[in-house]
Amino acid sequence: MTPDLATQQLRKVPFFQFLDFTITELAETHAAAMMPFAERLIGNPIMEYYHGGIIASFMEAVAAISVSHGPDLRLPKPINLTVDYLRPAVKGPLITEATVKRRGKRMASVRAVCWQDDGSRPVADGLYHFLMV
């Protein structure tokens, strides 16, 4: 599946439509996406930082896509997640890369990293476990 086709499929999910992200890379065990800044994603209006839940949700979506295959893009069900917030995410686009660390018949483990301008300075790092459907 191409990144453009995956983005079109994801637009069918209302929350993904709200996040308004675009898949930029899609491979067998890897996915990347970019989410443009929008005022509705702000968690701290004084400092203008992204809401932590928005960051974790964006990372979860990209992690789920990294283990999904096929034309129908059946997303796995999250079992648990751990997100480490490393620095505030300020106004500007967010980029997330997710890499499948282990995938079995019933479960998958995915590491996701989110950053803004510099990939060596992530704003969040997460580990996601999914039940494969």
Side-chain angles (χ1 to χ4, degrees):
M1 178 177 292
T2 67
D4 290 337
L5 183 58
T7 299
Q8 287 174 2
Q9 290 278 32
L10 293 171
R11 294 275 184 236
K12 297 175 185 175
V13 179
F15 187 65
F16 292 171
Q17 204 171 28
F18 172 79
L19 292 177
D20 192 33
F21 63 90
T22 305
I23 305 299
T24 55
E25 295 176 40
L26 191 58
E28 186 72 21
T29 60
H30 174 83
M34 191 278 298
M35 183 171 67
F37 175 78
E39 292 291 331
R40 68 182 183 280
L41 306 176
I42 292 284
N44 182 332
I46 295 167
M47 302 299 285
E48 295 188 319
Y49 294 156
Y50 276 90
H51 189 283
I54 293 292
I55 296 169
S57 296
F58 174 45
M59 292 171 65
E60 179 183 330
V62 179
I65 293 160
S66 72
V67 295
S68 301
H69 300 288
D72 60 349
L73 198 69
R74 294 190 65 204
L75 295 173
K77 297 183 184 295
I79 297 172
N80 72 341
L81 60 102
T82 303
V83 177
D84 295 321
Y85 297 98
L86 306 172
R87 63 184 39 83
V90 297
K91 270 187 168 181
L94 284 175
I95 299 161
T96 292
E97 277 193 3
T99 305
V100 178
K101 293 299 177 186
R102 184 178 174 120
R103 182 182 175 166
K105 292 180 182 178
R106 296 179 52 197
M107 194 176 134
S109 179
V110 182
R111 179 173 182 259
V113 180
C114 182
W115 71 89
Q116 290 192 292
D117 297 328
D118 183 0
S120 67
R121 293 181 40 87
V123 294
D125 185 67
L127 183 62
Y128 294 81
H129 295 102
F130 295 100
L131 178 65
M132 303 306 293
V133 220

